[in-house]
Amino acid sequence: NAGVTQTPKFRILKIGQSMTLQCTQDMNHNYMYWYRQDPGMGLKLIYYSVGAGITDKGEVPNGYNVSRSTTEDFPLRLELAAPSQTSVYFCASIKGARGNTIYFGEGSWLTVV
Amino acid sequence: AQSVTQPDIHITVSEGASLELRCNYSYGATPYLFWYVQSPGQGLQLLLKYFSGDTLVQGIKGFEAEFKRSQSSFNLRKPSVHWSDAAEYFCAVGAFNDYKLSFGAGTTVTVRA
């Protein structure tokens, strides 16, 4: 059971480049999330999805896009990378029911130079 | 919207001493609360969670937390810390309907010999 898998783990981007962070879960979870972590700031929610075909903005969505075409996958797209997007990105998922555990991926370290 | 405050940015504790990390939350409904630990360069590991019932929650690695509704607090404790407990600790509160987590800014724990 792989849980939540994120790729790539590390990436360096140049300003203006685009990339997609991949997130896949094999637990049939309906809820999925993307967070970013900046030093001293905790984790901030970028986007989330409550099921296939449904996405919504979190606290810090600017500069990002997401899609949810399947239950398993929730990719995060950076269209025009900026230095402010240098961060650690975490994908998470949960089977939507009170008491269930939220599972996090291992994180993706992104540097924009 | 929910929010979390972790008043202590950094705590230094001697090995074998007790540890208490503070967490205060704001949420209009019955919260569900979490503590996560993150070692340098690693992802998030769930220490414990509270949904309902007994307000004293036991977690992994000898940690426990107590939910106090009157104080809107969910403080984390460990009776005797080990050098391996040096890490960053995050408190989080979850929303009832969409399970989005709001994180505190984190508390860094340093353990001295």
Side-chain angles (χ1 to χ4, degrees):
Chain A
N1 191 341
V4 179
T5 303
Q6 290 180 235
T7 57
K9 193 169 177 73
F10 301 97
R11 183 74 187 268
I12 298 174
L13 274 183
K14 293 184 178 178
I15 294 171
Q17 284 186 321
S18 300
M19 76 159 296
T20 299
L21 297 176
Q22 301 291 344
C23 177
T24 298
Q25 52 88 11
D26 60 358
M27 297 172 283
N28 199 31
H29 287 177
N30 44 342
Y31 291 77
M32 295 187 74
Y33 311 85
W34 274 106
Y35 290 88
R36 61 175 286 172
Q37 182 182 24
D38 301 308
M41 301 292 290
L43 279 74
K44 300 292 185 184
L45 183 64
I46 306 171
Y47 270 95
Y48 69 103
S49 169
V50 301
I54 305 169
T55 62
D56 209 346
K57 296 178 180 179
E59 300 175 75
V60 291
N62 291 343
Y64 306 94
N65 278 299
V66 293
S67 60
R68 186 93 182 271
S69 56
T70 67
T71 298
E72 295 77 18
D73 301 309
F74 191 43
L76 178 71
R77 178 108 180 131
L78 286 71
E79 290 295 347
L80 292 170
S84 61
Q85 293 177 303
T86 294
S87 189
V88 184
Y89 292 84
F90 289 97
C91 181
S93 72
I94 185 174
K95 189 74 169 176
R98 192 165 174 82
N100 283 352
T101 294
I102 295 173
Y103 292 84
F104 282 86
E106 294 189 342
S108 296
W109 275 254
L110 176 65
T111 302
V112 182
V113 297
Chain B
Q2 66 269 31
S3 66
V4 176
T5 301
Q6 292 180 246
D8 304 304
I9 296 173
H10 191 192
I11 286 179
T12 298
V13 61
S14 297
E15 192 169 15
S18 63
L19 174 68
E20 182 167 12
L21 304 182
R22 295 183 290 164
C23 172
N24 294 99
Y25 69 90
S26 173
Y27 186 54
T30 301
Y32 73 108
L33 297 157
F34 303 82
W35 275 99
Y36 287 88
V37 61
Q38 185 181 34
S39 298
Q42 301 297 312
L44 295 164
Q45 182 180 24
L46 179 67
L47 286 175
L48 46 78
K49 61 184 179 182
Y50 170 80
F51 288 91
S52 62
D54 192 346
T55 56
L56 186 62
V57 180
Q58 302 297 321
I60 63 171
K61 303 186 178 187
F63 285 92
E64 65 177 25
E66 185 171 13
F67 170 58
K68 293 186 177 180
R69 185 185 299 274
S70 61
Q71 299 177 16
S72 297
S73 69
F74 189 56
N75 294 349
L76 181 72
R77 298 192 293 256
K78 185 168 184 177
S80 176
V81 298
H82 186 263
W83 63 266
S84 60
D85 293 322
E88 190 160 21
Y89 293 79
F90 293 96
C91 181
V93 60
F96 176 71
N97 55 346
D98 57 20
Y99 309 97
K100 291 186 292 186
L101 293 183
S102 292
F103 285 82
T107 298
T108 300
V109 173
T110 298
V111 180
R112 59 182 174 219

